[in-house]
Amino acid sequence: MARYRLRFLLQEFDLPRGATILGRSSDCHVTIEDPLVSRHHARIVLEGDRAVVFDLNSRNGVKVNGAPVKDPVELKDGDRLRIGTQELVFCRVEAAPNASAKTTGFLRHCARCRMPYPQEAGSCPSCGATEALDEETLSGQFGAAAQQIWSVQLFLEVLDRALTLERFEDVHRILRRATVQVEERIVRGDAIDAPQLAKLALGAARASLALDDSTWAVWLAQVYRRVPLVMPEEVVAKLGELAVRFPHDMADPVEQLATYVRTVPSSPAEGPAIAALERVRASVAPMAASKPAPS
């Protein structure tokens, strides 16, 4: 009899006969750490050679191959399940004689490239290293946040939904996780991808404006003082908005950033961004002096 699995990136989860519950709660069979996933989000029932997925009245729904699940849907090999912001692939695996089920309960993170891989592999399939971050070992969990594999696009998608739903605690948690990864790369001396950092900075700016909280605005100014990059013009424009909203909190970080940028090698194409940053610097100090400090 064929076996069935759910695949997410480098991890696979064997589906047992009967019901498998997917959701954010730790009591689910498959825990997906994503703020847009309900505590008990979906159920997959495997009987004989049929697997059927049910939406458990989740807040954000379940999709199979892009189509919302309203009634129970029978799954076929290669079907893609969308739960929250995560996409899992349903796979049919023909059983070999005397084959035993694959154990995939533990996921490790490579100490060199930080990519996740099944513990059973022994070494990272991405870079070949055998050293792992033991403190990051997971048990039976899926999810970009839990596995520290956030792509910027996923970050922005989750952040956008959390802001739209006014789930402000989730907004702070998402930003903390995303920015911690940037900080880790800086500390390790890894190269920072300029377009990705810019997108992250724009997301942080949007969150600060929506929450009326300068925390992420200050981080945005500070992080660009720790990388050999000139802040892009579109990010400087957002920095200007943040300076208007939070002049007292932003005056020193903007002044320090403008001073730092003068030491960073730049190209003629970056001239407009540097000039825009100087205009923000020149405007924020008078604004901070003219407006009373927040109590």
Side-chain angles (χ1 to χ4, degrees), residues 138-196:
L138 305 175
S139 177
Q141 290 195 346
F142 292 82
Q147 298 179 23
Q148 291 193 346
I149 51 167
W150 283 74
S151 68
V152 171
Q153 187 57 46
L154 175 61
F155 158 75
L156 293 173
E157 184 177 345
V158 175
L159 179 64
D160 180 71
R161 292 296 298 276
L163 285 169
T164 299
L165 296 171
E166 297 187 347
R167 296 171 64 169
F168 298 133
E169 183 178 341
D170 288 337
V171 170
H172 282 294
R173 185 168 68 249
I174 293 162
L175 281 165
R176 281 194 297 269
R177 286 175 173 163
T179 54
V180 161
Q181 290 190 37
V182 173
E183 295 297 324
E184 287 180 347
R185 292 189 65 84
I186 292 173
V187 170
R188 293 197 306 267
D190 294 345
I192 300 296
D193 184 88
Q196 288 195 350

Side-chain angles (χ1 to χ4, degrees), residues 194-263:
Q196 288 195 350
L197 181 61
K199 290 179 181 179
L200 179 59
L202 290 171
R206 182 184 172 212
S208 263
L209 293 169
L211 299 173
D212 197 26
D213 184 337
S214 64
T215 300
W216 302 111
V218 172
W219 174 85
L220 185 161
Q222 291 176 338
V223 75
Y224 271 94
R225 287 196 294 114
R226 302 181 61 203
V227 295
L229 299 170
V230 174
M231 180 180 284
E233 198 168 0
E234 60 179 340
V235 180
V236 175
K238 281 296 180 185
L239 186 70
E241 292 182 40
L242 295 167
V244 172
R245 179 74 68 89
F246 313 109
H248 291 278
D249 293 333
M250 296 303 294
D252 285 344
V254 168
E255 178 67 34
Q256 293 165 5
L257 175 62
T259 300
Y260 171 74
V261 166
R262 298 185 192 114
T263 70

Side-chain angles (χ1 to χ4, degrees), residues 19-43:
T20 298
I21 307 298
L22 299 88
R24 198 176 72 250
S25 174
S26 60
D27 62 12
C28 293
H29 299 98
V30 178
T31 299
I32 302 176
E33 189 179 341
D34 180 330
L36 301 187
V37 171
S38 298
R39 288 181 56 79
H40 297 94
H41 199 106
R43 179 174 67 245

Side-chain angles (χ1 to χ4, degrees), residues 21 84 117 137:
I21 307 298
Y117 65 92
T137 300

Side-chain angles (χ1 to χ4, degrees), residues 4-7 13-23 28-30 32 40-47 49-56 62-64 69 72-76 79-83 88-91 142:
Y4 296 91
R5 292 177 181 161
L6 288 178
R7 185 173 69 238
F13 180 85
D14 280 318
L15 289 172
R17 301 290 157 180
T20 298
I21 307 298
L22 299 88
C28 293
H29 299 98
V30 178
I32 302 176
H40 297 94
H41 199 106
R43 179 174 67 245
I44 296 177
V45 177
L46 183 58
E47 294 181 348
D49 274 344
R50 295 182 71 246
V52 179
V53 62
F54 300 77
D55 182 358
L56 299 179
V62 178
K63 291 183 178 181
V64 174
V69 171
V73 173
E74 183 173 353
L75 297 172
K76 307 296 184 185
D79 279 350
R80 296 182 176 274
L81 281 74
R82 185 79 167 182
I83 296 177
L88 299 89
V89 180
F90 177 77
C91 304
F142 292 82

Side-chain angles (χ1 to χ4, degrees), residues 88-101:
L88 299 89
V89 180
F90 177 77
C91 304
R92 176 186 174 96
V93 182
E94 297 297 336
N98 301 320
S100 58

